[in-house]
Structures are given as structure tokens and as C-alpha cells.
Amino acid sequence: MNTAMSIDSSGTIPAPPPAATRLIGLRVVLILAALFEAFDGYATFSATIGDPSHSGALGLAGVLTTAQIASHPFLAAAALGFALIGRVRDAIIAIGAILVMNWLSEMPSVVLHGFELDGPASGLLVLSHIVVYPLMAACAIALARRGERLGIATTLVALPTLFAWAGVTAFAIAVSIHGF
């Protein structure tokens, strides 16, 4: 019995499968979104550590807000870690959980005061935070859980972060041009 072995000594590495190549872009987007969310979560968390209004019996609104503030940096760190190691589905779910926690912390105010639609710009902002972002997060989590259309799911969880940082950037530019 004669068996011949073929040894490739050309030194080239075979191309990665198409799915791994496609996920690189999603991983980059998720890493950037997770970094922005981590910065935001850490800044909010560190600003409220010494705040006496976040201690004692606060009712449901205080509990939800405290849970959101406490979980935000950890969920963002989890999303960043998952995106770095290539677990795109888990990173999408973690960022989606941040959006859901943000929504939950705003619900007591909506229940007590209703939709505060003062003008077209603030109305659009309120409706996006209360209606659109949670729906986007729920759809993204469902898609990621099923492992389907990860590009759409990544877009759905990254857009709220992109819009938030676009607002921060616009505010910083306006302040640098016009001052306070």
C-alpha cells in the first residue's frame, strides 16, 4: 500500500472563511460602540458614587435608575470583551441590554409625567428614547439570539450610540464656536 502525503511548503496561509471576514466589520463597529458606551457608563457611574441622592429608600424609580447606572459600565465592558474575542452575537445582546436598561430607567418618569413633548425637537428625542430605541434593541437582541442578520442587528444597537455621540460632538463644536 503506497500512501503519498502532500506537504505545502509555499508558506501561504489559507484565506479565512467568508463568514469570519465579514464579521470583522461588525466587530469593529461593536468595539467602537462598546468603547463609547463604556466611557459613558463609567462617567455616569463615577459621577454618582458620592451623590447622596442615590442612597436610601428611593422607590421604584430610584431602584431602576440605580440599576441602570450600576449595570451600564459592566454591560459595556462585557460587550467590548465579546466583540474583541469575536463573539458578535453576545456583544450585540450586551449593547441591546444597555439600551433596555436605559429605557427601563426612564419609564417611571413617563408613567408619572407622561410624554413631555414640548417642541418638535424634544418630542422627537423623547419618542426616540422611549419608543424607537427599545424596539431597535429588542429586534437586535432577537436577531442576535437567532444568529440571523447580524449586520442589521449591529446597526440597530450601534445607531443610538452613534446619535448620542453625534449630539455630544455637535454640542462641543457649538460651545467651542459660541461659548456658553
Side-chain angles (χ1 to χ4, degrees), residues 83-97:
L84 285 172
I85 64 172
R87 294 177 61 180
V88 172
R89 292 172 53 186
D90 296 327
I92 292 168
I93 292 170
I95 295 176

Side-chain angles (χ1 to χ4, degrees), residues 4-102:
M5 274 186 134
S6 171
I7 299 177
D8 183 17
S9 62
S10 63
T12 61
I13 299 173
T21 306
R22 186 184 73 219
L23 293 180
I24 293 292
L26 300 181
R27 289 174 61 188
V28 169
V29 170
L30 289 168
I31 288 168
L32 290 175
L35 284 172
F36 288 138
E37 288 294 344
F39 176 76
D40 183 37
Y42 176 73
T44 304
F45 184 78
S46 63
T48 57
I49 282 181
D51 189 2
S53 68
H54 286 284
S55 61
L58 301 172
L60 181 61
V63 168
L64 288 174
T65 301
T66 302
Q68 186 270 334
I69 291 170
S71 67
H72 194 140
F74 296 107
L75 287 170
L80 180 61
F82 287 140
L84 285 172
I85 64 172
R87 294 177 61 180
V88 172
R89 292 172 53 186
D90 296 327
I92 292 168
I93 292 170
I95 295 176
I98 291 171
L99 296 173
V100 170
M101 289 299 294
N102 290 344

